Amino acid sequence: MKKMIIGNWKMNLSRQEGLMLVQDLIEKGLNDTKGKVILCPPTVFLPELQQSIAGTGIALGAQDCSAFGKGAYTGQTSAKQLADFGVSVVILGHAERRSLCGETNADVRAKAQQACEAGLLPIICIGESGDDKASGRAEGVLRLQIEESCPETGVFVLAYEPLWAIGTGLKPTPKDVDEIFTFIKSVREVAVVYGGSVQGHDAADFLGLEILDGVLVGGAALKTDSFLQIAQSV
Ligand code: PGA
């Protein structure tokens, strides 16, 4: 399997900035890199971005989907509706959604089931807080998140994103990642990517680890140079 380079734009960039970023990335060779590049823009950008990346091999991802199939769910977008716009991947249970939107493990599992049924690949985020880590609870927290958030069947990917590393500049060492990934894969034998302050200059240290199936990138996905450097580190 190709290593995944996933860019999570979160709620950043204007329409124009997003289109220019993608154009610039493609012009500078993003589609010629060895990994599987997946761009996850805000939902409203999906239709235009689908056109911008057509034929490049770059995949389109969403940042969330509904836990329901259809109906009276104002403001939500179903996995099937995303698939209609060429979306093939969906990030679920991101730490920001868990903390800002009160999303539970059960919600994440229901969303993952919807995503699988619609033919999308769910990327299910898990991660311990700084307190969990300091008090030696990290493995217990991760085990519970995996057991309760993941669908029993179906293909999905886990994203290990320690909360203390997201947007902070702090990150585990590659050796720590190797150990924690071994633990995660002992709980559920699936592909696992790392996310949390990955930068252009250190992406190769992570992507060089055999156990790691890719990276989930936030801040550094918003600029051509840093995202390209990460994608070229595979
Ligand atoms: P960051 O975000 O790379 O800015 O730390 C990662 C994420 O939240 O997915």
Side-chain angles (χ1 to χ4, degrees):
M1 185 173 120
K2 282 186 174 179
K3 297 211 178 201
M4 288 175 274
I5 310 296
I6 309 157
N8 174 13
W9 291 6
K10 309 192 181 188
M11 201 175 69
N12 291 299
L13 304 180
S14 67
R15 174 183 174 191
Q16 200 55 31
E17 287 165 345
L19 285 171
M20 279 169 58
L21 174 61
V22 172
Q23 208 174 12
D24 200 28
L25 284 165
I26 293 171
E27 270 169 27
K28 293 189 172 145
L30 182 68
N31 46 328
D32 285 335
T33 48
K34 291 202 202 100
K36 176 76 192 158
V37 176
I38 303 162
L39 296 180
C40 304
T43 312
V44 285
F45 294 179
L46 289 169
E48 265 180 318
L49 245 63
Q50 181 192 15
Q51 290 172 16
S52 308
I53 62 170
T56 62
I58 298 169
L60 201 54
Q63 298 174 16
D64 185 34
C65 74
S66 176
F68 305 98
K70 65 183 258 192
Y73 301 103
T74 301
Q76 300 195 8
T77 307
S78 76
K80 282 203 183 77
Q81 288 168 334
L82 293 170
D84 278 348
F85 282 92
V87 170
S88 56
V89 174
V90 59
I91 299 171
L92 295 175
H94 188 281
E96 285 149 16
R97 295 205 54 84
R98 289 179 186 264
S99 69
L100 296 172
C101 310
E103 215 164 87
T104 64
N105 290 336
D107 296 331
V108 177
R109 170 179 275 169
K111 290 178 178 204
Q113 281 162 346
Q114 287 292 332
C116 289
E117 275 171 35
L120 307 186
L121 175 70
I123 299 186
I124 299 174
C125 301
I126 56 169
E128 81 283 2
S129 69
D131 280 353
D132 294 333
K133 180 174 153 63
S135 57
R137 290 194 307 261
E139 289 195 356
V141 167
L142 294 172
R143 180 184 292 281
L144 196 69
Q145 286 178 337
I146 297 168
E147 286 174 352
E148 294 185 351
S149 307
C150 298
E152 310 229 317
T153 56
V155 181
F156 64 91
V157 171
L158 283 169
Y160 170 60
E161 297 208 302
L163 274 56
W164 49 271
I166 297 175
T168 59
L170 300 172
K171 62 200 107 180
T173 63
K175 185 170 167 290
D176 294 339
V177 169
D178 204 47
E179 278 171 22
I180 205 92
F181 271 46
T182 304
F183 168 74
I184 292 169
K185 286 186 185 232
S186 76
V187 180
R188 202 77 192 252
E189 183 56 62
V190 292
V192 189
V193 302
Y194 170 74
S197 296
V198 174
Q199 302 295 328
H201 65 85
D202 61 12
D205 298 342
F206 291 103
L207 287 163
L209 295 170
E210 200 178 325
I211 198 165
L212 183 144
D213 297 292
V215 285
L216 176 49
V217 186
L222 299 172
K223 295 213 172 80
T224 301
D225 292 352
S226 47
F227 194 59
L228 206 54
Q229 194 178 1
I230 293 169
Q232 287 167 344
S233 302
V234 178

